[in-house]
Structures are given as C-alpha cells and as structure tokens.
Amino acid sequence: MEPVIQVNPGATKWDIRQKVWDYIEEKNMANFPRPVHNRIPNFKAATQACNRLADLEVFKSSQTVKVNPDRPQQQARFITLEAQKTLLVPTPRLRTGLFNRITPPQGASKEQLRTCSTSQGVKDFSVPVGLEAKVKVDLVVVGSVAVSEKGFRIGKGEGYADMEYGMMVSMGAVDESTVVVTVVHDCQVVDIPEELIGSHDLTVDYILTPTRVIKTNCQLPKPQGIIWTKLNTEKLEKIPILKKLRALEEQDGKDVTLGEMPAAAEPSLQTVQPKRQTRQRPRQNTRQDADREPMLDSKQDRGAEEEQKARLRPARVRKESRGEGRGGNEGEVNKRRKGKSGGNMKEKGPEEEGSEVMSQHKVPLSVTTVYLGGIPAGLRVSELKTALREKGAGPLRLTWQGAQHRAFLDYSDPQAAEQALESLQGLNLNGHSLQAELAKSQRGGKRSGQSNRRPRPSAAPKSKTAPPDTKGDVAAKTEQ
C-alpha cells in the first residue's frame, strides 16, 4: 500500500514528524487534545485500530502486557484488562518510577474496567513496580508519530519509549521473545530511511491501523539496554529512576560512563521571548488529559523554558518597585546601574528590538551571532530548538522573535557560527525555507573573539514610521 505522506530524500526525523502532524491537523483527523504537534496523535478511529489487538495470536498468548499511557491507546488498555491480563503502564515522563500495575476492583464491571483504562483510572487503581521486581513482559504496545512497514518507528522526539524498553531489558523484564506493537492511523505509515534509526531506537513487530494489521518482520535489533553514553547528568536529574538503575548496573560491574554535556546542551539553550508577543495556549482539563506528556522543547527542554520564565517574572517586579520607590526617578536608577556594570551595558540594536535577554546560564562575553529569517507564522520556539539540535547547530543562546519571523543564534566563536551556517543551509520548517546568515553586526570582517555588541543606532531624521520604543527593553537588560 502506497504511503499517503511522502518522505523527501534527505529528510530528518523532525521533517517526518512535522509532515505527519501537519497532515493530521490539515485533514482534521484528530480528537482532543489538539493540536497534535509534539504529541502522539489521538487520531480518529483509534478505538478501531486498538480493537485489532484482541485478534493477534501474540496478544492471546500473552500474560503481561505493557501499554503506553497516551490517549489513543486507551482502548488497548481496556482490552488488556477485559482479557484479564496483567496491565503495566509507564508513569508519565518516568517521574516516579518505571511503570505501575493496574489493579481493578474485584469482579469489576466493564464500565469499571473502562474507568481503570483512563488516565485517572491509571492513577487510582495502580501499584508501583520497582526495578527489582521479577516481571516478564510478553507484549509491549507503544504509540508512534510515524512508523514504516519495515518496523522503523519515530516517536515525538523525547525518547521515553526507547528508554522504557532499555530499562526493561536491564531489569530482565523483556528479551528477544517480547513482541512490540504500535497503534497508528494509516496515514502515519510512511517510508522511513533505515539510516535514521539508531541503536537506541525501539523498532516494532506489528502495526495496527483502523484498516489493517501489518507484520513488519523487522530485521533491526531492539535496544539491548540503556546506552549510558547517550545520556548526561542533567537527564539523570530529570529522571531519578535512571540514577537508581545506573547505580545497580555499576554494582554489577557494567560500564555506566555518561556522555559529555555538549556546548549547546539543552540547559544552556536560552530562549529570549518578547513579553508582548507571548501567546499562551488555553489550559486544558488536566484530569482528562493527565496521560498526555507536556509539550517539551524538544530540544526542546520545555521544563527549562518554564523555569526561565518563572525566574524572569520576579526580576520585572523588582524593576518596577525600584522605580516607584524612588519616585519614578528612572534616570537616577539607570545611572547607578550603568556605573555598576562599568559602562559595558549591552545596547539593544534594531535586530533585537522587542526582546528581553534572560541570562540564567553564563554566556561568553564575545559571541558570534547568526540571523535566522523566514520563520513561518505559528512555528513554536520548541520546534525551532529541536530542528537546530537535529542539524547539530544548537546555539549557546537563542533570541526568539517569532512575530517578526526571525531569531538570532549566538555561538561561542566564528568557527562554530560558520559550521552552524553550513548545517542550516536548506533548513525547511512547516513548508517554509529559512534564511540563515551572519547577523549584520557580524559582517564586514569582524575579527575572531571580537564582541558582537551591537552599536546604538545613530540619530536619524524622523520618518513616517515611528521607531519602536526600546527603553523598557534596555531597562530590562540592565536589571540583569
């Protein structure tokens, strides 16, 4: 069967995800929660696709089934409980452990089993299963953003399904006989190049769609455990159970050396977001959507972004209170601030107008800035971050000006910026080609190591278009 969505030559995982998400949204093929971007899509007819699970011989012969907690696999959880099999569900984002065993009330009715299969039911009718537990999982059901008939799978980009499987390998819960099934819409079955699949990526044996069952006969091996060199200390801090597993494997004499924190790692990828351009998504019913994982920057790290915003808010309060407390003598305050900084306060040029700089992490004084233009309307900063990381062009700091369809990327030196420029040529997001070039302040033979401080715009005759008021923004920077 010919895939509905065609994958272009040279496409990255992110390109494929974006195509699938866009297609499902454009065709209105999803139920709540919407939009489907950065999620495992809750596609319409997910119930019909899950119902095919009951017909699989591998399911009938299974005793213990692990099903992911996302909404489109809710019917798979119900079918497992109805068949009186042991149901294991991962804890969302692995915050409190690996997975829980769902324990319905004795003699539960069909309606009670349906309740147990919901996100709230998973919370109310479950007991945790520790790493030391002797568990044998016969069948694993996962969600996907895209999957190929050869069994190559692409998730939403955070790697939780891959890590969960690797951890189950380490605790002896799965082996070569364990079958992996994914439930997707027919449009999510696409041609995925084999070179995109790494040793840590989970492959699947069966694909269930609303119209068919595909046996993949996948030739690639599944993860053989946690690949510690692909993780770093920050990831261990976010997922405490990984720290526990690492300690256990270290006791067993295994190599648990972590990977190096790259120069443009997630925690130092700073987001500069103009306050007046901030658009917040409406809050959803968290009880209905508790199984849904927060939309992380996929690379964005959404948690880090929210933490940065939280840190920034008190700073603005302090600035305002200082002005009021001194009778609004803003000039005096700014004068003292400038004195403290030795007169080296970074000026805001036209390229930065409307933005606020957050310096939660140290950034070198001398950086090389790349201008990224042509950013399509509606693109999230999280989506851009992920694309940058996948291109190997993660900056030290990102200044986001989405409303102006642009961003500025700071790199440690001209060589790093040149490498990033080379990687970003031909970058395409949401069907739009982005323009990457050195920022104006970097052009004209700037010497290596020279500061990228942008000069104050010289006085010019007033034009019909009034220049933007950047006074508040400059004051915000001095607050730092």
Side-chain angles (χ1 to χ4, degrees), residues 70-113:
D70 291 316
R71 182 66 60 85
Q73 280 73 52
Q74 180 173 312
Q75 180 69 4
R77 297 192 291 273
F78 168 72
I79 289 172
T80 302
L81 292 175
E82 189 179 39
Q84 298 184 345
K85 300 180 184 297
T86 299
L87 172 62
L88 303 177
V89 179
T91 57
R93 306 186 71 78
L94 301 178
R95 291 187 189 93
T96 58
L98 179 51
F99 40 58
N100 291 338
R101 182 173 68 251
I102 310 306
T103 55
Q106 189 71 27
S109 65
K110 183 173 289 191
E111 285 309 309
Q112 287 176 313
L113 294 180

mmCIF file of all heavy atoms in Angstrom, residues 70-113:
data_model
loop_
_atom_site.group_PDB
_atom_site.id
_atom_site.type_symbol
_atom_site.label_atom_id
_atom_site.label_comp_id
_atom_site.label_asym_id
_atom_site.label_seq_id
_atom_site.Cartn_x
_atom_site.Cartn_y
_atom_site.Cartn_z
ATOM 1 N N ASP A 70 -0.729 7.076 26.662
ATOM 2 C CA ASP A 70 -1.338 8.105 25.819
ATOM 3 C C ASP A 70 -2.796 7.796 25.495
ATOM 4 O O ASP A 70 -3.240 6.647 25.508
ATOM 5 C CB ASP A 70 -0.529 8.271 24.531
ATOM 6 C CG ASP A 70 0.835 8.897 24.787
ATOM 7 O OD1 ASP A 70 0.892 9.861 25.552
ATOM 8 O OD2 ASP A 70 1.831 8.400 24.233
ATOM 9 N N ARG A 71 -3.555 8.845 25.157
ATOM 10 C CA ARG A 71 -4.976 8.738 24.892
ATOM 11 C C ARG A 71 -5.316 7.758 23.764
ATOM 12 O O ARG A 71 -6.264 6.976 23.901
ATOM 13 C CB ARG A 71 -5.536 10.126 24.572
ATOM 14 C CG ARG A 71 -7.035 10.163 24.312
ATOM 15 C CD ARG A 71 -7.829 9.813 25.561
ATOM 16 N NE ARG A 71 -7.561 10.741 26.616
ATOM 17 C CZ ARG A 71 -8.169 11.917 26.778
ATOM 18 N NH1 ARG A 71 -9.100 12.283 25.934
ATOM 19 N NH2 ARG A 71 -7.860 12.701 27.791
ATOM 20 N N PRO A 72 -4.608 7.770 22.618
ATOM 21 C CA PRO A 72 -5.017 6.864 21.539
ATOM 22 C C PRO A 72 -4.871 5.384 21.868
ATOM 23 O O PRO A 72 -5.447 4.540 21.171
ATOM 24 C CB PRO A 72 -4.103 7.259 20.366
ATOM 25 C CG PRO A 72 -2.988 8.022 20.964
ATOM 26 C CD PRO A 72 -3.522 8.679 22.183
ATOM 27 N N GLN A 73 -4.148 5.038 22.936
ATOM 28 C CA GLN A 73 -4.006 3.629 23.326
ATOM 29 C C GLN A 73 -4.903 3.249 24.509
ATOM 30 O O GLN A 73 -4.754 2.189 25.103
ATOM 31 C CB GLN A 73 -2.545 3.313 23.674
ATOM 32 C CG GLN A 73 -1.657 3.088 22.458
ATOM 33 C CD GLN A 73 -1.364 4.375 21.722
ATOM 34 O OE1 GLN A 73 -0.927 5.357 22.307
ATOM 35 N NE2 GLN A 73 -1.616 4.386 20.419
ATOM 36 N N GLN A 74 -5.856 4.118 24.832
ATOM 37 C CA GLN A 74 -6.750 3.832 25.959
ATOM 38 C C GLN A 74 -7.558 2.553 25.723
ATOM 39 O O GLN A 74 -7.717 1.731 26.636
ATOM 40 C CB GLN A 74 -7.700 5.010 26.182
ATOM 41 C CG GLN A 74 -8.677 4.809 27.326
ATOM 42 C CD GLN A 74 -9.480 6.066 27.619
ATOM 43 O OE1 GLN A 74 -8.923 7.154 27.732
ATOM 44 N NE2 GLN A 74 -10.796 5.925 27.733
ATOM 45 N N GLN A 75 -8.038 2.356 24.499
ATOM 46 C CA GLN A 75 -8.806 1.148 24.204
ATOM 47 C C GLN A 75 -7.934 -0.105 24.317
ATOM 48 O O GLN A 75 -8.424 -1.166 24.734
ATOM 49 C CB GLN A 75 -9.409 1.246 22.795
ATOM 50 C CG GLN A 75 -10.234 0.049 22.351
ATOM 51 C CD GLN A 75 -11.556 -0.087 23.114
ATOM 52 O OE1 GLN A 75 -11.894 0.762 23.933
ATOM 53 N NE2 GLN A 75 -12.292 -1.158 22.847
ATOM 54 N N ALA A 76 -6.665 0.009 23.999
ATOM 55 C CA ALA A 76 -5.753 -1.140 24.160
ATOM 56 C C ALA A 76 -5.612 -1.510 25.632
ATOM 57 O O ALA A 76 -5.523 -2.701 25.980
ATOM 58 C CB ALA A 76 -4.385 -0.814 23.553
ATOM 59 N N ARG A 77 -5.603 -0.511 26.506
ATOM 60 C CA ARG A 77 -5.538 -0.796 27.946
ATOM 61 C C ARG A 77 -6.819 -1.491 28.409
ATOM 62 O O ARG A 77 -6.771 -2.433 29.212
ATOM 63 C CB ARG A 77 -5.301 0.506 28.726
ATOM 64 C CG ARG A 77 -3.969 1.179 28.388
ATOM 65 C CD ARG A 77 -3.619 2.292 29.364
ATOM 66 N NE ARG A 77 -4.490 3.454 29.253
ATOM 67 C CZ ARG A 77 -4.302 4.468 28.429
ATOM 68 N NH1 ARG A 77 -3.267 4.455 27.595
ATOM 69 N NH2 ARG A 77 -5.123 5.508 28.414
ATOM 70 N N PHE A 78 -7.964 -1.020 27.897
ATOM 71 C CA PHE A 78 -9.235 -1.647 28.263
ATOM 72 C C PHE A 78 -9.289 -3.101 27.795
ATOM 73 O O PHE A 78 -9.699 -3.995 28.550
ATOM 74 C CB PHE A 78 -10.404 -0.857 27.650
ATOM 75 C CG PHE A 78 -11.711 -1.574 27.728
ATOM 76 C CD1 PHE A 78 -12.388 -1.718 28.930
ATOM 77 C CD2 PHE A 78 -12.272 -2.143 26.586
ATOM 78 C CE1 PHE A 78 -13.593 -2.399 29.002
ATOM 79 C CE2 PHE A 78 -13.479 -2.825 26.641
ATOM 80 C CZ PHE A 78 -14.142 -2.957 27.856
ATOM 81 N N ILE A 79 -8.878 -3.356 26.565
ATOM 82 C CA ILE A 79 -8.902 -4.717 26.017
ATOM 83 C C ILE A 79 -8.022 -5.644 26.849
ATOM 84 O O ILE A 79 -8.372 -6.798 27.118
ATOM 85 C CB ILE A 79 -8.448 -4.697 24.543
ATOM 86 C CG1 ILE A 79 -9.520 -4.046 23.672
ATOM 87 C CG2 ILE A 79 -8.138 -6.101 24.033
ATOM 88 C CD1 ILE A 79 -9.082 -3.798 22.242
ATOM 89 N N THR A 80 -6.893 -5.122 27.297
ATOM 90 C CA THR A 80 -5.987 -5.929 28.121
ATOM 91 C C THR A 80 -6.629 -6.292 29.456
ATOM 92 O O THR A 80 -6.554 -7.441 29.908
ATOM 93 C CB THR A 80 -4.664 -5.166 28.352
ATOM 94 O OG1 THR A 80 -4.071 -4.865 27.085
ATOM 95 C CG2 THR A 80 -3.693 -5.982 29.191
ATOM 96 N N LEU A 81 -7.275 -5.313 30.081
ATOM 97 C CA LEU A 81 -7.943 -5.580 31.355
ATOM 98 C C LEU A 81 -9.133 -6.522 31.156
ATOM 99 O O LEU A 81 -9.375 -7.425 31.965
ATOM 100 C CB LEU A 81 -8.411 -4.266 31.986
ATOM 101 C CG LEU A 81 -7.312 -3.310 32.470
ATOM 102 C CD1 LEU A 81 -7.924 -2.002 32.952
ATOM 103 C CD2 LEU A 81 -6.487 -3.952 33.594
ATOM 104 N N GLU A 82 -9.882 -6.307 30.083
ATOM 105 C CA GLU A 82 -11.045 -7.140 29.830
ATOM 106 C C GLU A 82 -10.643 -8.601 29.594
ATOM 107 O O GLU A 82 -11.387 -9.525 29.969
ATOM 108 C CB GLU A 82 -11.813 -6.603 28.610
ATOM 109 C CG GLU A 82 -13.159 -7.275 28.380
ATOM 110 C CD GLU A 82 -13.889 -6.705 27.182
ATOM 111 O OE1 GLU A 82 -13.227 -6.417 26.159
ATOM 112 O OE2 GLU A 82 -15.122 -6.530 27.264
ATOM 113 N N ALA A 83 -9.463 -8.802 29.012
ATOM 114 C CA ALA A 83 -8.969 -10.157 28.776
ATOM 115 C C ALA A 83 -8.330 -10.757 30.032
ATOM 116 O O ALA A 83 -7.756 -11.846 29.966
ATOM 117 C CB ALA A 83 -7.962 -10.152 27.627
ATOM 118 N N GLN A 84 -8.414 -10.018 31.139
ATOM 119 C CA GLN A 84 -7.899 -10.469 32.438
ATOM 120 C C GLN A 84 -6.394 -10.741 32.399
ATOM 121 O O GLN A 84 -5.895 -11.677 33.012
ATOM 122 C CB GLN A 84 -8.667 -11.711 32.915
ATOM 123 C CG GLN A 84 -10.145 -11.456 33.125
ATOM 124 C CD GLN A 84 -10.880 -12.658 33.678
ATOM 125 O OE1 GLN A 84 -10.369 -13.778 33.665
ATOM 126 N NE2 GLN A 84 -12.085 -12.441 34.189
ATOM 127 N N LYS A 85 -5.701 -9.892 31.673
ATOM 128 C CA LYS A 85 -4.247 -9.958 31.639
ATOM 129 C C LYS A 85 -3.669 -8.899 32.576
ATOM 130 O O LYS A 85 -4.347 -7.932 32.931
ATOM 131 C CB LYS A 85 -3.740 -9.744 30.209
ATOM 132 C CG LYS A 85 -4.264 -10.784 29.212
ATOM 133 C CD LYS A 85 -3.735 -10.521 27.814
ATOM 134 C CE LYS A 85 -4.348 -11.500 26.814
ATOM 135 N NZ LYS A 85 -3.996 -12.911 27.090
ATOM 136 N N THR A 86 -2.432 -9.099 32.965
ATOM 137 C CA THR A 86 -1.757 -8.105 33.799
ATOM 138 C C THR A 86 -1.380 -6.905 32.935
ATOM 139 O O THR A 86 -0.713 -7.051 31.907
ATOM 140 C CB THR A 86 -0.486 -8.701 34.440
ATOM 141 O OG1 THR A 86 -0.853 -9.802 35.270
ATOM 142 C CG2 THR A 86 0.241 -7.649 35.269
ATOM 143 N N LEU A 87 -1.840 -5.716 33.348
ATOM 144 C CA LEU A 87 -1.581 -4.496 32.582
ATOM 145 C C LEU A 87 -0.568 -3.619 33.321
ATOM 146 O O LEU A 87 -0.785 -3.246 34.477
ATOM 147 C CB LEU A 87 -2.884 -3.714 32.368
ATOM 148 C CG LEU A 87 -2.741 -2.321 31.745
ATOM 149 C CD1 LEU A 87 -2.133 -2.407 30.341
ATOM 150 C CD2 LEU A 87 -4.096 -1.598 31.704
ATOM 151 N N LEU A 88 0.513 -3.303 32.634
ATOM 152 C CA LEU A 88 1.518 -2.378 33.157
ATOM 153 C C LEU A 88 1.479 -1.103 32.322
ATOM 154 O O LEU A 88 1.393 -1.159 31.095
ATOM 155 C CB LEU A 88 2.915 -2.998 33.085
ATOM 156 C CG LEU A 88 3.115 -4.331 33.815
ATOM 157 C CD1 LEU A 88 4.529 -4.842 33.585
ATOM 158 C CD2 LEU A 88 2.840 -4.185 35.304
ATOM 159 N N VAL A 89 1.533 0.047 33.002
ATOM 160 C CA VAL A 89 1.505 1.339 32.318
ATOM 161 C C VAL A 89 2.671 2.187 32.840
ATOM 162 O O VAL A 89 2.825 2.333 34.056
ATOM 163 C CB VAL A 89 0.172 2.080 32.571
ATOM 164 C CG1 VAL A 89 0.180 3.437 31.869
ATOM 165 C CG2 VAL A 89 -1.001 1.243 32.070
ATOM 166 N N PRO A 90 3.500 2.737 31.954
ATOM 167 C CA PRO A 90 4.606 3.589 32.409
ATOM 168 C C PRO A 90 4.093 4.813 33.150
ATOM 169 O O PRO A 90 3.041 5.358 32.804
ATOM 170 C CB PRO A 90 5.316 3.984 31.113
ATOM 171 C CG PRO A 90 4.837 3.022 30.081
ATOM 172 C CD PRO A 90 3.460 2.614 30.489
ATOM 173 N N THR A 91 4.837 5.251 34.135
ATOM 174 C CA THR A 91 4.487 6.504 34.801
ATOM 175 C C THR A 91 4.828 7.648 33.853
ATOM 176 O O THR A 91 5.886 7.621 33.207
ATOM 177 C CB THR A 91 5.266 6.675 36.118
ATOM 178 O OG1 THR A 91 6.668 6.602 35.838
ATOM 179 C CG2 THR A 91 4.908 5.583 37.093
ATOM 180 N N PRO A 92 3.948 8.658 33.707
ATOM 181 C CA PRO A 92 4.215 9.753 32.764
ATOM 182 C C PRO A 92 5.572 10.392 33.002
ATOM 183 O O PRO A 92 5.916 10.772 34.118
ATOM 184 C CB PRO A 92 3.064 10.741 33.051
ATOM 185 C CG PRO A 92 1.954 9.869 33.547
ATOM 186 C CD PRO A 92 2.641 8.805 34.356
ATOM 187 N N ARG A 93 6.358 10.422 31.936
ATOM 188 C CA ARG A 93 7.695 11.026 31.942
ATOM 189 C C ARG A 93 8.641 10.359 32.936
ATOM 190 O O ARG A 93 9.674 10.906 33.289
ATOM 191 C CB ARG A 93 7.598 12.531 32.196
ATOM 192 C CG ARG A 93 6.663 13.244 31.229
ATOM 193 C CD ARG A 93 6.682 14.741 31.405
ATOM 194 N NE ARG A 93 7.942 15.302 30.925
ATOM 195 C CZ ARG A 93 8.220 15.494 29.645
ATOM 196 N NH1 ARG A 93 7.335 15.179 28.727
ATOM 197 N NH2 ARG A 93 9.366 16.003 29.276
ATOM 198 N N LEU A 94 8.279 9.165 33.397
ATOM 199 C CA LEU A 94 9.135 8.376 34.307
ATOM 200 C C LEU A 94 9.498 9.164 35.557
ATOM 201 O O LEU A 94 10.567 8.986 36.120
ATOM 202 C CB LEU A 94 10.419 7.937 33.577
ATOM 203 C CG LEU A 94 10.210 7.084 32.317
ATOM 204 C CD1 LEU A 94 11.553 6.765 31.668
ATOM 205 C CD2 LEU A 94 9.471 5.804 32.650
ATOM 206 N N ARG A 95 8.593 10.030 36.031
ATOM 207 C CA ARG A 95 8.911 10.886 37.171
ATOM 208 C C ARG A 95 9.068 10.097 38.466
ATOM 209 O O ARG A 95 9.940 10.378 39.275
ATOM 210 C CB ARG A 95 7.802 11.937 37.357
ATOM 211 C CG ARG A 95 7.722 12.983 36.264
ATOM 212 C CD ARG A 95 6.711 14.053 36.660
ATOM 213 N NE ARG A 95 6.443 14.971 35.564
ATOM 214 C CZ ARG A 95 5.464 14.835 34.696
ATOM 215 N NH1 ARG A 95 4.646 13.795 34.809
ATOM 216 N NH2 ARG A 95 5.274 15.701 33.741
ATOM 217 N N THR A 96 8.183 9.118 38.684
ATOM 218 C CA THR A 96 8.167 8.438 39.978
ATOM 219 C C THR A 96 8.552 6.968 39.896
ATOM 220 O O THR A 96 8.464 6.258 40.888
ATOM 221 C CB THR A 96 6.766 8.545 40.603
ATOM 222 O OG1 THR A 96 5.810 7.964 39.695
ATOM 223 C CG2 THR A 96 6.395 9.998 40.853
ATOM 224 N N GLY A 97 8.966 6.502 38.757
ATOM 225 C CA GLY A 97 9.333 5.099 38.618
ATOM 226 C C GLY A 97 9.197 4.660 37.179
ATOM 227 O O GLY A 97 8.956 5.472 36.282
ATOM 228 N N LEU A 98 9.345 3.359 36.946
ATOM 229 C CA LEU A 98 9.270 2.848 35.580
ATOM 230 C C LEU A 98 7.819 2.637 35.154
ATOM 231 O O LEU A 98 7.346 3.237 34.207
ATOM 232 C CB LEU A 98 10.065 1.547 35.457
ATOM 233 C CG LEU A 98 10.061 0.885 34.081
ATOM 234 C CD1 LEU A 98 10.439 1.867 32.996
ATOM 235 C CD2 LEU A 98 10.990 -0.323 34.076
ATOM 236 N N PHE A 99 7.097 1.746 35.844
ATOM 237 C CA PHE A 99 5.688 1.583 35.495
ATOM 238 C C PHE A 99 4.871 1.116 36.691
ATOM 239 O O PHE A 99 5.408 0.744 37.741
ATOM 240 C CB PHE A 99 5.480 0.624 34.311
ATOM 241 C CG PHE A 99 6.345 -0.596 34.298
ATOM 242 C CD1 PHE A 99 6.353 -1.499 35.353
ATOM 243 C CD2 PHE A 99 7.159 -0.857 33.211
ATOM 244 C CE1 PHE A 99 7.145 -2.625 35.328
ATOM 245 C CE2 PHE A 99 7.961 -1.998 33.176
ATOM 246 C CZ PHE A 99 7.953 -2.884 34.227
ATOM 247 N N ASN A 100 3.530 1.159 36.522
ATOM 248 C CA ASN A 100 2.577 0.745 37.544
ATOM 249 C C ASN A 100 1.768 -0.432 37.023
ATOM 250 O O ASN A 100 1.515 -0.542 35.816
ATOM 251 C CB ASN A 100 1.622 1.891 37.909
ATOM 252 C CG ASN A 100 2.331 3.014 38.642
ATOM 253 O OD1 ASN A 100 3.375 2.810 39.232
ATOM 254 N ND2 ASN A 100 1.760 4.201 38.577
ATOM 255 N N ARG A 101 1.341 -1.277 37.924
ATOM 256 C CA ARG A 101 0.453 -2.381 37.568
ATOM 257 C C ARG A 101 -0.975 -1.967 37.918
ATOM 258 O O ARG A 101 -1.260 -1.556 39.040
ATOM 259 C CB ARG A 101 0.835 -3.654 38.322
ATOM 260 C CG ARG A 101 -0.036 -4.852 37.932
ATOM 261 C CD ARG A 101 0.449 -6.146 38.554
ATOM 262 N NE ARG A 101 0.275 -6.151 40.004
ATOM 263 C CZ ARG A 101 1.287 -6.072 40.874
ATOM 264 N NH1 ARG A 101 2.537 -5.967 40.439
ATOM 265 N NH2 ARG A 101 1.067 -6.081 42.166
ATOM 266 N N ILE A 102 -1.862 -2.049 36.933
ATOM 267 C CA ILE A 102 -3.251 -1.646 37.139
ATOM 268 C C ILE A 102 -3.994 -2.795 37.821
ATOM 269 O O ILE A 102 -3.978 -3.935 37.349
ATOM 270 C CB ILE A 102 -3.930 -1.299 35.808
ATOM 271 C CG1 ILE A 102 -3.052 -0.317 35.009
ATOM 272 C CG2 ILE A 102 -5.311 -0.702 36.052
ATOM 273 C CD1 ILE A 102 -2.671 0.928 35.757
ATOM 274 N N THR A 103 -4.650 -2.478 38.938
ATOM 275 C CA THR A 103 -5.363 -3.494 39.717
ATOM 276 C C THR A 103 -6.837 -3.108 39.840
ATOM 277 O O THR A 103 -7.218 -2.389 40.777
ATOM 278 C CB THR A 103 -4.732 -3.642 41.113
ATOM 279 O OG1 THR A 103 -4.719 -2.339 41.745
ATOM 280 C CG2 THR A 103 -3.297 -4.147 41.020
ATOM 281 N N PRO A 104 -7.689 -3.551 38.927
ATOM 282 C CA PRO A 104 -9.119 -3.210 39.003
ATOM 283 C C PRO A 104 -9.758 -3.815 40.249
ATOM 284 O O PRO A 104 -9.241 -4.782 40.835
ATOM 285 C CB PRO A 104 -9.696 -3.847 37.730
ATOM 286 C CG PRO A 104 -8.527 -4.113 36.842
ATOM 287 C CD PRO A 104 -7.369 -4.379 37.756
ATOM 288 N N PRO A 105 -10.883 -3.263 40.692
ATOM 289 C CA PRO A 105 -11.600 -3.846 41.830
ATOM 290 C C PRO A 105 -12.001 -5.291 41.537
ATOM 291 O O PRO A 105 -12.207 -5.672 40.385
ATOM 292 C CB PRO A 105 -12.844 -2.943 41.968
ATOM 293 C CG PRO A 105 -12.498 -1.679 41.246
ATOM 294 C CD PRO A 105 -11.558 -2.069 40.156
ATOM 295 N N GLN A 106 -12.103 -6.077 42.595
ATOM 296 C CA GLN A 106 -12.507 -7.471 42.436
ATOM 297 C C GLN A 106 -13.877 -7.545 41.757
ATOM 298 O O GLN A 106 -14.827 -6.875 42.163
ATOM 299 C CB GLN A 106 -12.568 -8.152 43.810
ATOM 300 C CG GLN A 106 -12.768 -9.654 43.746
ATOM 301 C CD GLN A 106 -11.519 -10.365 43.244
ATOM 302 O OE1 GLN A 106 -10.413 -9.864 43.417
ATOM 303 N NE2 GLN A 106 -11.704 -11.524 42.626
ATOM 304 N N GLY A 107 -13.990 -8.366 40.711
ATOM 305 C CA GLY A 107 -15.251 -8.512 39.998
ATOM 306 C C GLY A 107 -15.697 -7.260 39.282
ATOM 307 O O GLY A 107 -16.900 -7.009 39.150
ATOM 308 N N ALA A 108 -14.742 -6.461 38.800
ATOM 309 C CA ALA A 108 -15.063 -5.174 38.162
ATOM 310 C C ALA A 108 -15.933 -5.375 36.930
ATOM 311 O O ALA A 108 -15.750 -6.313 36.152
ATOM 312 C CB ALA A 108 -13.774 -4.461 37.770
ATOM 313 N N SER A 109 -16.896 -4.473 36.759
ATOM 314 C CA SER A 109 -17.747 -4.497 35.582
ATOM 315 C C SER A 109 -16.991 -3.911 34.398
ATOM 316 O O SER A 109 -15.903 -3.338 34.532
ATOM 317 C CB SER A 109 -19.004 -3.667 35.835
ATOM 318 O OG SER A 109 -18.664 -2.294 36.000
ATOM 319 N N LYS A 110 -17.606 -4.025 33.214
ATOM 320 C CA LYS A 110 -16.970 -3.481 32.013
ATOM 321 C C LYS A 110 -16.782 -1.973 32.143
ATOM 322 O O LYS A 110 -15.739 -1.426 31.736
ATOM 323 C CB LYS A 110 -17.818 -3.809 30.785
ATOM 324 C CG LYS A 110 -17.192 -3.349 29.473
ATOM 325 C CD LYS A 110 -17.974 -3.835 28.261
ATOM 326 C CE LYS A 110 -17.803 -5.326 28.062
ATOM 327 N NZ LYS A 110 -18.340 -5.769 26.739
ATOM 328 N N GLU A 111 -17.750 -1.291 32.720
ATOM 329 C CA GLU A 111 -17.622 0.158 32.889
ATOM 330 C C GLU A 111 -16.494 0.504 33.851
ATOM 331 O O GLU A 111 -15.776 1.483 33.656
ATOM 332 C CB GLU A 111 -18.946 0.754 33.371
ATOM 333 C CG GLU A 111 -20.003 0.844 32.295
ATOM 334 C CD GLU A 111 -19.489 1.532 31.039
ATOM 335 O OE1 GLU A 111 -18.922 2.642 31.172
ATOM 336 O OE2 GLU A 111 -19.626 0.977 29.941
ATOM 337 N N GLN A 112 -16.353 -0.295 34.894
ATOM 338 C CA GLN A 112 -15.249 -0.058 35.831
ATOM 339 C C GLN A 112 -13.899 -0.298 35.155
ATOM 340 O O GLN A 112 -12.927 0.415 35.419
ATOM 341 C CB GLN A 112 -15.403 -0.960 37.055
ATOM 342 C CG GLN A 112 -16.523 -0.523 37.997
ATOM 343 C CD GLN A 112 -16.703 -1.502 39.154
ATOM 344 O OE1 GLN A 112 -16.749 -2.715 38.944
ATOM 345 N NE2 GLN A 112 -16.797 -0.964 40.354
ATOM 346 N N LEU A 113 -13.834 -1.296 34.296
ATOM 347 C CA LEU A 113 -12.588 -1.545 33.561
ATOM 348 C C LEU A 113 -12.279 -0.388 32.618
ATOM 349 O O LEU A 113 -11.111 -0.013 32.443
ATOM 350 C CB LEU A 113 -12.692 -2.850 32.772
ATOM 351 C CG LEU A 113 -12.794 -4.141 33.599
ATOM 352 C CD1 LEU A 113 -12.888 -5.349 32.678
ATOM 353 C CD2 LEU A 113 -11.604 -4.285 34.539
#
